[in-house]
Amino acid sequence: MSDLLENLEKNVIFVLEFLAVVAVLFVIAYAAEKYAQKKAGVNEKIFHTRKIVMIGMFSAIASILMLFEIQMPFAPFFYKLDFSELPALIGTFAFGPVAGVMIEFCKILLKLLFKSTSTAFVGELANFAVGCSFILPASVIYLFKKNKKTAIVGCGIGTVILTIFGTAFNAVYLLPKFAELFGMPLEGIIAMGTQINPGITNVTTFVIMAVAPLNLIKGISVSAVTLLVYKSLSPILKVQDYRVRNKNKAVAS
């Protein structure tokens, strides 16, 4: 009974930590968006009806893509590549950083409706936090000057931050937390990596040889596809958003 209560307490604490990460990233995204508005001399609502609908649509697409995972030959079975950041990045380019964070969060909730967690929510936290480390820098850079050059620069910087943050976050927090919640020694997780790559002998080599390449591949591939398709999607999204702005101005006047 005591073990059950202890495990329950650990899971509750982890969920609260998860929600704290969500809150912090949301505040960062909100502050960046309001600062960009202030610099541009405008004052618009962060959320309006159409944006909420679009966030829901992009979140649904992202949650579906999250179900299709690709096993990487250089990483243990619980590290898989998915392309759920693709609609999140397109959505955040179109509607701002707050929308991007909301898409990342909502896709996790929707994914859990289709498929329960197999990693005690550690994988879901990793996907959310690491995904935001990619889309937030990219979208904030693009937010202040929306052109192809800043989109490329934003995607490049986002990929670098994704790789560095994702690697460090796994080493410092996610791997130890995964071992703790599953009641297994961290050495056991390292051994899974060693079976795939004999060069993996500790946490550092594990994240460098297994986690970093995965994040780098994700960042490059999602950036490439986004840069290819966003130009064709952007006019449709911008026209609709322009209509919403005009409607809001008319109501305000």
Side-chain angles (χ1 to χ4, degrees):
M1 186 67 178
S2 60
D3 289 340
L4 178 62
L5 291 174
E6 185 179 351
N7 289 332
L8 180 61
E9 182 182 359
K10 288 179 181 178
N11 281 278
V12 169
I13 291 173
F14 179 73
V15 170
L16 292 175
E17 290 171 348
F18 193 158
L19 294 176
V21 171
V22 173
V24 169
L25 290 173
F26 181 84
V27 169
I28 292 172
Y30 184 88
E33 203 159 328
K34 294 305 288 185
Y35 178 73
Q37 286 187 4
K38 183 178 179 181
K39 197 169 182 181
V42 298
N43 184 22
E44 299 175 351
K45 291 182 178 179
I46 296 296
F47 291 109
H48 51 68
T49 303
R50 183 175 177 276
K51 184 183 283 190
I52 293 171
V53 171
M54 295 303 291
I55 289 172
M57 185 187 75
F58 281 114
S59 299
I61 296 171
S63 66
I64 293 171
L65 289 177
M66 199 175 175
L67 298 175
F68 297 94
E69 300 174 316
I70 303 172
Q71 180 66 54
M72 293 288 100
F74 51 78
F77 70 92
F78 48 86
Y79 281 102
K80 297 178 182 178
L81 177 67
D82 69 71
F83 294 98
S84 59
E85 263 63 59
L86 179 58
L89 185 58
I90 293 173
T92 197
F93 271 4
F95 300 107
V98 173
V101 174
M102 291 303 297
I103 291 169
E104 287 285 349
F105 180 62
C106 290
K107 81 172 184 185
I108 298 296
L109 297 181
L110 290 171
K111 179 263 179 185
L112 290 172
L113 292 177
F114 295 119
K115 182 181 178 182
S116 62
T117 182
S118 59
T119 59
F121 299 103
V122 176
E124 285 73 25
L125 172 60
N127 191 288
F128 172 77
V130 175
C132 286
S133 76
F134 172 50
I135 67 165
L136 269 182
S139 64
V140 169
I141 291 170
Y142 182 71
L143 182 66
F144 287 94
K145 192 172 184 181
K146 297 184 177 182
N147 57 42
K148 186 176 182 180
K149 182 178 179 181
T150 53
I152 294 172
V153 172
C155 285
I157 292 175
T159 298
V160 172
I161 294 175
L162 161 70
T163 304
I164 295 173
F165 173 80
T167 302
F169 193 44
N170 270 268
V172 174
Y173 181 79
L174 291 175
L175 284 172
K177 182 61 70 173
F178 184 83
E180 177 188 345
L181 292 176
F182 272 87
M184 63 184 297
L186 186 57
E187 290 75 14
I189 299 176
I190 305 302
M192 294 180 191
T194 306
Q195 290 177 354
I196 296 171
N197 184 348
I200 296 176
T201 57
N202 51 38
V203 172
T204 301
T205 53
F206 185 100
V207 296
I208 290 175
M209 295 182 180
V211 179
L214 179 67
N215 290 330
L216 187 61
I217 291 170
K218 173 178 275 195
I220 292 173
S221 57
V222 169
S223 295
V225 175
T226 299
L227 293 171
L228 284 173
V229 304
Y230 185 71
K231 186 177 180 180
S232 60
L233 293 175
S234 179
I236 301 172
L237 298 172
K238 286 181 179 178
V239 166
Q240 295 295 330
D241 214 34
Y242 176 75
R243 290 174 182 170
V244 171
R245 287 195 184 102
N246 280 350
K247 183 179 178 180
N248 289 340
K249 287 179 181 177
V251 171
S253 61

